[in-house]
Amino acid sequence: MTRLSVNINKVALIRNARGEDLPNLVQVAKDCESFGAEGITVHPRPDERHIKYSDIPELKEVVSTEFNIEGNPTDRFMEMVLKHKPHQATLVPDKPGALTSDSGWDTISNAEFLKEVTAKLQDAGICVSIFVNAKPEFVEGAKAVGADRIEFYTGDFARSFHINPEEAVKAHVEAAKKANEVGIGINAGHDLNLDNLRYYKESVPGLLEVSIGHALISDALYYGFKNTIQMYRAKLD
């Protein structure tokens, strides 16, 4: 079964717009779990425009499923993750001012750095996932540095899905086969939605987890959180 992890960054963005505590991030995380989410994902950025570093201990206290923290493994990020010990840390090569994550690691040219970071996190009992573009060589590189999982960047798939679904998912299928061959778990995320999620899940062998935020939160404005999470879960069942 493929697990659904709900990224609640956009909920925090709405909260921050008024400088108050509405919506309450902790309550939203708890509700998402009660509605069927099997994980909660957050991606604190250097400018804290949505998730704040101060949110992390409160969320860690209440999340009872998988707590996944994404981000660029800067000194500040590593200090926070090692202190609060989420179940999973997803390493993303974001530039400081990035609007969103739009590319993965070159796990070959960054091998020494990623190996060091991965070892530190695993020594603390944290599962490590490395965000990569769907290329077999980057999957092999992630395995070589010791990562537990890779997370495929699926923005390229989503952009091409309505033009030619089979061609759009082709690279992801090949990269997934390599992941299964070398023995590394597969996560995926970015622009997955109600239109393309089932096709992606049924095409990519061994998909363990998807992390979805922007589309799911947008759909929840129309359908409500409970209905929306169950609709996404149905696409994965």
Side-chain angles (χ1 to χ4, degrees):
M1 187 176 73
T2 304
R3 292 191 298 273
L4 171 66
S5 184
V6 176
N7 186 318
I8 57 174
N9 275 22
K10 290 298 163 58
V11 177
L13 185 66
I14 296 171
R15 175 200 63 183
N16 295 351
R18 291 289 293 268
E20 299 175 356
D21 193 30
L22 186 69
N24 181 274
L25 203 63
V26 168
Q27 188 60 50
V28 169
K30 291 166 65 177
D31 288 340
C32 286
E33 291 182 315
S34 71
F35 298 152
E38 292 124 332
I40 298 296
T41 291
V42 295
H43 188 148
R45 298 182 184 276
D47 60 8
E48 299 187 88
R49 62 181 179 269
H50 32 63
I51 297 297
K52 298 180 181 295
Y53 273 66
S54 59
D55 292 324
I56 301 302
E58 294 184 9
L59 290 168
K60 177 59 164 58
E61 184 71 22
V62 301
V63 172
S64 59
T65 57
E66 180 196 72
F67 188 33
N68 173 45
I69 302 180
E70 300 180 341
N72 194 324
T74 61
D75 290 343
R76 185 187 184 200
F77 179 88
M78 289 293 290
E79 181 181 356
M80 177 270 294
V81 171
L82 290 169
K83 178 179 180 180
H84 297 294
K85 295 183 174 62
H87 303 98
Q88 180 173 257
T90 300
L91 308 182
V92 183
D94 281 341
K95 296 178 181 178
L99 180 63
T100 186
S101 306
D102 59 6
S103 188
W105 289 95
D106 178 336
T107 55
I108 299 168
S109 61
N110 292 284
E112 185 175 347
F113 172 71
L114 290 171
K115 186 174 183 179
E116 179 182 350
V117 169
T118 297
K120 286 181 180 179
L121 293 168
Q122 289 174 334
D123 285 346
I126 301 167
C127 175
V128 177
S129 178
I130 298 180
F131 194 63
V132 297
N133 294 343
K135 295 184 177 182
E137 60 267 32
F138 293 158
V139 172
E140 290 182 305
K143 177 66 176 180
V145 303
D148 302 288
R149 297 186 185 182
I150 40 89
E151 178 176 324
F152 287 141
Y153 166 65
T154 49
D156 54 348
F157 160 76
R159 284 190 297 272
S160 302
F161 174 72
H162 289 292
I163 301 171
N164 186 332
E166 186 175 354
E167 186 63 27
V169 82
K170 183 177 179 180
H172 294 256
V173 173
E174 293 306 312
K177 289 178 179 177
K178 177 57 68 174
N180 293 329
E181 177 186 319
V182 301
I184 190 169
I186 303 170
N187 298 343
H190 203 90
D191 292 339
L192 294 173
N193 57 41
L194 289 172
D195 291 330
N196 60 37
L197 180 58
R198 184 187 297 277
Y199 186 87
Y200 189 84
K201 189 264 184 183
E202 292 179 348
S203 300
V204 176
L207 182 63
L208 297 176
E209 177 182 312
V210 291
S211 174
I212 305 178
H214 183 82
L216 190 150
I217 302 303
S218 297
D219 287 330
L221 295 175
Y222 290 91
Y223 304 124
F225 265 111
K226 184 175 183 178
N227 287 337
T228 299
I229 288 173
Q230 292 176 357
M231 290 165 74
Y232 274 83
R233 251 288 21 109
K235 298 293 184 181
L236 296 170
D237 288 340

